[in-house]
Amino acid sequence: MLTQEERAAISEGCDSSPSARAAAPHALGAVQASRGWISDESLSDIAEFLHMTPAELDSIATFYNRIYRSPVGRHVILLCDSVSCWIMDYEYLLNHLLTKLGISGFGETTKDGMFTLLPSACLGACDHAPAMMVDRELFGDLTRQSIDTIIDQYRIKDGDRRTAQSPLATGRKEQ
Amino acid sequence: MIDSPLTHAMKPTKEALAIDEYEDAGGYAALRTAVTEMTPFDVTAAVTDSNLRGRGGAGFPTGKKWSFVPPPGKRTGAAYLVVNADEMEPGTFKDRLLLEQNPHLVLEGALAAAFAIQAQTVYVFVRWAYAKAAQRLTKAIIEAQRRGYIGDNVLGSKFCVRVHVHTSHGRYLCGEETGLLNALEGKRASPRSKPPFPQVVGLLGRPTVVNNVETLCNIPPILRNGAAWFKALSKTGDSGTKLYGASGRVNAPGLWELPMGTTPREIIEKHAGGMKSGYNLRGFLPGGASTDFLTDRHLDVPMDFDAMQKAGSRLGTGTMIVLDDRTCPVAMVHNLVTFFARESCGWCTPCRDGLPWTQNILADIEQGRGRPEDLDRLELHCKLLGPGRTFCALAPGAVEPLQSALKYFREDFERHITEKRCPYKH
Ligand SMILES: Cc1cc2nc3c(=O)[nH]c(=O)nc-3n(C[C@H](O)[C@H](O)[C@H](O)COP(=O)(O)O)c2cc1C
Ligand code: SF4
Ligand code: FES
């Protein structure tokens, strides 16, 4: 079932698109924004809402690089593997990143479900190669140290948020 | 007079120019003149006179492109102006600068273009990775609406226009103009057959012009200062300035607005600060991943459309990727072909099957498993994937660096095969 917010987000996309079904990629993006990825169930729900068949919608979902049809972690790391970053030795950083995250290759998610690492085509930041994005944030001129700092900061930020949200933490604050 | 019309007003802080700042620098005066004193035909004529050629890679004359759109009397219904802000050509980062730091210039150019072709709707198709650009553009649209540059009866004229930002979900083909139109219609972004050209049958079957961000940014200064001024900006026959870039092992990778026809030598040595110490120049791709390699013999060839073509390459996006003497050219081409194989939309057989095949051969050679006949096979693929044999320009673009690498760096390919290893790995 799509939530009220998801329906509203899809409808908003329909308004600014040249036609209702033109909002299909937008609808996929909107639902992905709230659920992280597009499951078969989400796909059917969106298809029904847009009056399309799930198969038709899946042909669109699978075409676009940034629509995920399998689960991803809470943060997606997109490491640029295109030519300028390759010249600037992104492969060296890849190995470091894999060790840091404790995973063995692109496409994998860390055990705690925090990060998924994916390759990306040129991020349009070649003057700051090697570059990567974490979710919608861009990081350039990467070194092993800066990668460590970035990952650690995400871990701290998320850790804080989770402690803050847990009933235990609230309880403690009230005392 | 200003000699860097696209970038001169940008702020050192790299923030976007707000509408007041943009207006103070002369912004929106061109749109005002266009909609209140000129006819759409006059605007197209001014752009044609300026000899502006498209900055999206192909260099098609902009005024001529607009002139193919049937005027309202000869068409029924809407027409569209689409801004191609999908920048995804590896090695290219020029449109990002304009979108992030001068969004009102992009908008003013798009609005003037919409007026010229009498379109009531503008779509700005922005790449997913450019979230900051999309955000700044959206803010600029709201500012422009409040000042009456967008909406009904723009500045009291009869011109009515709406602007929408569409964020793409990522695929190289979204940048190809007909693929982009399919993406905007919510379909897979495979290209369409041409003819009919989008100017006649485009978005939702209506006449549509697709222009690159940098192309459109040139329109307001052309309307303000005239064709003669625009031509005088250039060092060669192709008019205007160009955003040139350099990445790779140079001291100061970056982006510079320079006269059209500036040489690679000046860009690399003067603006990019020369090669990093310990590295020498081996070659360069002048305008992104889908342009042929040039070498140190070509350092004094002007970087314009015609001269680059004569030298055996293309100006492309004008952002060059520098190959140094410690980087393996075979591995570099392998990286490039891997990108194109991954991004192939799969619509036509030579590209869908030929690119992975090429990729595998290159992987074999790079890893010391290559055989002498592989080089003939690569040459054959360059022909089979070349112009005229595939449905769109992705595949011909993909083999441009390969075919020129086989020409200029042949001994590197041969050494990999005879020594059964990469000579660059120690
Ligand atoms: C595979 C492929 C990808 C392309 N990507 C882009 C792009 O990201 N941005 C762009 O402006 N043009 C791109 N182009 C060129 C467009 O098809 C089109 O020529 C251009 O947007 C026209 O604008 P212009 O006349 O202002 O140059 C691409 C072409 C191909 C074949
Ligand atoms: S050349 Fe490649 S990208 Fe273009 S239509 Fe054919 S398969 Fe698709
Ligand atoms: S090649 Fe990595 S950002 Fe362009």
Side-chain angles (χ1 to χ4, degrees):
Chain A
M1 277 275 284
L2 298 176
T3 64
Q4 202 74 43
E5 292 80 39
E6 286 167 343
R7 283 163 187 273
I10 298 174
S11 302
E12 197 182 304
C14 293
D15 293 344
S16 66
S17 293
S19 69
R21 49 180 333 157
H26 173 86
L28 291 162
V31 173
Q32 181 168 288
S34 68
R35 301 181 188 193
W37 66 293
I38 301 295
S39 66
D40 288 349
E41 197 198 334
S42 309
L43 189 87
S44 303
D45 291 345
I46 303 166
E48 196 184 320
F49 188 78
L50 296 174
H51 305 290
M52 299 171 78
T53 66
E56 212 178 351
L57 187 62
D58 203 16
S59 80
I60 295 161
T62 52
F63 189 89
Y64 293 99
N65 297 334
R66 295 279 77 80
I67 297 295
Y68 306 132
R69 286 287 278 116
S70 352
V72 291
R74 285 192 296 287
H75 301 288
V76 176
I77 303 175
L78 296 160
L79 182 66
C80 174
D81 66 356
S82 282
V83 64
S84 304
C85 291
W86 175 81
I87 292 175
M88 300 309 282
D89 220 356
Y90 92 87
E91 281 168 329
Y92 173 72
L93 293 179
L94 170 63
N95 287 330
H96 180 72
L97 200 49
L98 292 175
T99 316
K100 174 95 188 155
L101 297 172
I103 56 177
S104 60
F106 278 129
E108 289 184 24
T109 301
T110 52
K111 273 205 198 79
D112 58 1
M114 178 102 100
F115 297 106
T116 297
L117 177 66
L118 295 176
S120 171
C122 177
L123 295 169
C126 328
D127 50 343
H128 294 288
M132 70 177 188
M133 285 178 84
V134 183
D135 304 329
R136 312 183 84 192
E137 207 166 339
L138 177 71
F139 300 93
D141 300 310
L142 293 174
T143 60
R144 299 209 302 184
Q145 287 83 343
S146 69
I147 284 189
D148 285 349
T149 314
I150 293 161
I151 300 294
D152 291 344
Q153 270 169 359
Y154 271 88
R155 286 213 158 114
I156 292 166
K157 245 194 305 185
D158 268 34
D160 282 356
R161 188 155 359 118
R162 296 179 104 201
T163 344
Q165 277 166 355
S166 79
L168 216 122
T170 334
R172 245 190 250 126
K173 249 184 240 153
E174 278 165 5
Q175 275 171 8
Chain B
M1 275 261 232
I2 295 154
D3 57 7
S4 51
L6 308 185
T7 56
H8 78 101
M10 286 181 185
K11 301 207 265 196
T13 57
K14 303 193 171 180
E15 285 161 58
L17 275 189
I19 195 160
D20 286 329
E21 295 162 326
Y22 183 68
E23 285 178 340
D24 288 347
Y28 287 113
L31 180 69
R32 187 180 298 275
T33 312
V35 300
T36 57
E37 293 169 26
M38 296 168 85
T39 66
F41 179 81
D42 294 338
V43 175
T44 305
V47 173
T48 307
D49 285 348
S50 77
N51 201 15
L52 171 67
R53 296 176 66 175
R55 307 300 199 230
F60 194 83
T62 307
K64 194 166 164 191
K65 185 185 262 190
W66 296 358
S67 72
F68 294 144
V69 176
K74 293 201 179 130
R75 72 183 190 225
T76 47
Y80 297 99
L81 189 278
V82 177
V83 184
N84 191 342
D86 194 56
E87 189 160 77
M88 194 173 159
E89 174 83 8
T92 302
F93 46 99
K94 66 182 183 75
D95 296 337
R96 179 199 279 276
L97 177 84
L98 297 167
L99 292 160
E100 286 185 358
Q101 297 185 37
N102 212 348
H104 281 291
L105 180 61
V106 181
L107 272 184
E108 189 184 3
L111 293 167
F115 175 73
I117 62 163
Q118 304 189 57
Q120 288 83 35
T121 312
V122 174
Y123 285 101
V124 190
F125 191 93
V126 188
R127 191 180 171 205
W128 62 271
Y130 289 7
K132 192 196 274 176
Q135 200 186 344
R136 290 180 174 188
L137 207 55
T138 306
K139 182 161 175 261
I141 290 169
I142 295 168
E143 290 176 333
Q145 265 164 347
R146 291 211 187 103
R147 301 265 162 114
Y149 299 125
I150 297 173
D152 290 336
N153 305 101
V154 171
L155 302 170
S157 71
K158 289 203 183 106
F159 177 52
C160 306
V161 67
R162 300 274 179 278
V163 182
H164 303 288
V165 175
H166 179 104
T167 307
S168 102
H169 291 282
R171 195 77 189 250
Y172 183 48
L173 250 296
C174 293
E176 198 280 336
E177 57 180 2
T178 60
L180 188 156
L181 297 178
N182 278 336
L184 256 185
E185 290 182 16
K187 302 172 182 155
R188 291 166 74 89
S190 296
R192 300 174 179 177
S193 81
K194 295 189 258 191
F197 289 91
Q199 295 93 307
V200 183
V201 183
L203 186 64
L204 302 170
R206 318 289 343 151
T208 305
V209 163
V210 180
N211 271 138
N212 171 260
V213 169
E214 187 184 350
T215 310
L216 290 169
C217 285
N218 280 294
I219 306 300
I222 289 171
L223 296 180
R224 215 159 49 224
N225 304 320
W229 165 83
F230 190 67
K231 286 180 186 164
L233 289 173
S234 157
K235 292 188 171 176
T236 61
D238 285 331
S239 30
T241 61
K242 178 78 194 76
L243 279 180
Y244 290 110
S247 64
R249 297 217 182 259
V250 290
N251 280 313
L255 205 55
W256 310 275
E257 183 182 8
L258 300 169
M260 178 66 92
T262 301
T263 62
R265 186 185 303 283
E266 181 183 329
I267 293 166
I268 295 170
E269 289 174 8
K270 187 165 157 204
H271 303 286
M275 297 298 292
K276 275 201 158 77
S277 106
Y279 295 89
N280 293 304
L281 180 121
R282 190 80 199 285
F284 59 96
L285 303 174
S290 59
T291 57
D292 282 272
F293 276 102
L294 294 175
T295 67
D296 53 1
R297 296 210 312 268
H298 304 103
L299 283 173
D300 297 310
V301 179
M303 293 259 290
D304 70 9
F305 292 103
D306 294 338
M308 280 288 119
Q309 190 141 22
K310 244 179 252 149
S313 187
R314 289 190 302 123
L315 176 62
T317 60
T319 42
M320 65 169 78
I321 305 159
V322 176
L323 167 67
D324 59 80
D325 60 344
R326 287 161 65 179
T327 297
C328 174
V330 177
M332 178 167 167
V333 173
H334 181 213
N335 174 279
L336 293 164
V337 169
T338 302
F339 163 81
F340 290 110
R342 195 164 69 189
E343 293 298 329
S344 164
C345 81
W347 181 263
C348 62
T349 313
C351 174
R352 182 188 58 227
D353 290 352
L355 284 176
W357 191 352
T358 312
Q359 186 190 354
N360 289 341
I361 297 174
L362 287 165
D364 277 350
I365 297 177
E366 199 199 333
Q367 289 155 20
R369 297 189 303 265
R371 283 182 268 155
E373 59 269 29
D374 283 343
L375 297 186
D376 300 332
R377 212 163 280 144
L378 287 176
E379 304 249 347
L380 180 68
H381 274 91
C382 291
K383 287 204 192 76
L384 294 177
L385 296 176
R389 293 183 183 262
T390 57
F391 199 65
C392 86
L394 182 140
V399 294
E400 281 182 29
L402 173 61
Q403 72 192 10
S404 46
L406 285 168
K407 185 163 77 185
Y408 295 123
F409 312 122
R410 186 141 199 123
E411 77 277 23
D412 288 284
F413 285 86
E414 288 166 353
R415 275 189 68 191
H416 279 77
I417 294 171
T418 49
E419 295 174 22
K420 296 196 190 310
R421 63 188 284 276
C422 174
Y424 290 81
K425 287 198 183 114
H426 304 292

